Amino acid sequence: EGGGGADTSRSSNAPPAHLRFGLGVDIAAVSGPGLVGLGLGLQARGGVQLSPWFAVYYQPPAVGALAVREASTAGAIGAVFNSVNFELDLPVFQIGVGPSRDILWFADCAIGSLACGTAAGSYFGADVRAAVMLGPHGPGSHAGFAIEANLHPTFIENSVLTTVTLGVAGEIY
C-alpha cells in the first residue's frame, strides 16, 4: 500500500505569526544635565507576534514635557522616540529592548522674559519596556490590558536625556 509519495499529513503545532498592536497613555518624567520635567505621552506599537513567547514591533511614542533648567529657565520638550523593540512575552510579564532614533525639540525661555530659544535634532536612543499583562497568554491572537513602564535614554552629544514613563495600554498580541 502506498509507496514513496511525500507525507503531506504532517501539521505544525506552532501557531502562525500574527500582527500585534498596542495603544496607551503615559505620564513622563524627563531629566538631563541641569534639567527636570514632567509631561504626558502617547504610546503606539505595531509589529509581529512571532510566537506566544517573542515579538518584534515598532514603537513611536510621543512625549511632551514642561521642564525647568537650572533655576532661571523654563521650557518645553517634545519628543518622538522611533524604537524597534525585541520582546520576550511571559504569561503575565512582557519585557522588550531595542535601539531608537529620537527626534527632540526644545524651547527654553528665561523666567521673567519674553525671549525664547528653540532647538531641534535627531539623536540615538535606546528603549526598555516592561509590562504586566492582564489577559490570556498562549497560542493565537489575544487582547489584554497592560500596566507598563519605559526607560528611554537619548544620547545628546556629551550628555544623556533620560525619560521614564508609566502608563496603561490596550494590546492585541
Side-chain angles (χ1 to χ4, degrees):
E1 326 214 279
D7 181 7
T8 58
S9 65
R10 281 188 251 164
S11 65
S12 171
N13 290 336
H18 55 274
L19 294 178
R20 131 181 218 141
F21 177 76
L23 185 63
V25 294
D26 298 321
I27 56 170
V30 179
S31 68
L35 171 81
V36 293
L38 293 174
L40 296 173
L42 177 65
Q43 291 240 6
R45 276 175 291 290
V48 177
Q49 188 72 37
L50 300 170
S51 76
W53 306 103
F54 298 103
V56 176
Y57 53 85
Y58 170 63
Q59 176 173 271
V63 174
L66 297 177
V68 175
R69 184 187 308 267
E70 278 113 40
S72 61
T73 306
I77 299 171
V80 176
F81 303 139
N82 294 289
S83 305
V84 175
N85 281 9
F86 302 90
E87 186 172 270
L88 173 64
D89 293 331
L90 301 173
V92 179
F93 188 68
Q94 297 176 336
I95 186 157
V97 297
S100 183
R101 189 63 181 175
D102 302 342
I103 299 168
L104 300 177
W105 171 81
F106 301 93
D108 285 327
C109 300
I111 294 175
S113 168
L114 297 177
C116 295
T118 62
S122 176
Y123 307 95
F124 176 75
D127 192 74
V128 177
R129 176 182 178 264
V132 173
M133 202 63 203
L134 306 174
H137 183 80
S141 183
H142 332 308
F145 178 76
I147 300 168
E148 61 187 12
N150 280 271
L151 171 64
H152 193 101
T154 301
F155 304 97
I156 303 171
E157 297 163 9
N158 295 326
S159 63
V160 177
L161 179 73
T162 303
T163 304
V164 176
T165 64
L166 299 173
V168 294
E171 299 279 335
I172 298 172
Y173 62 104

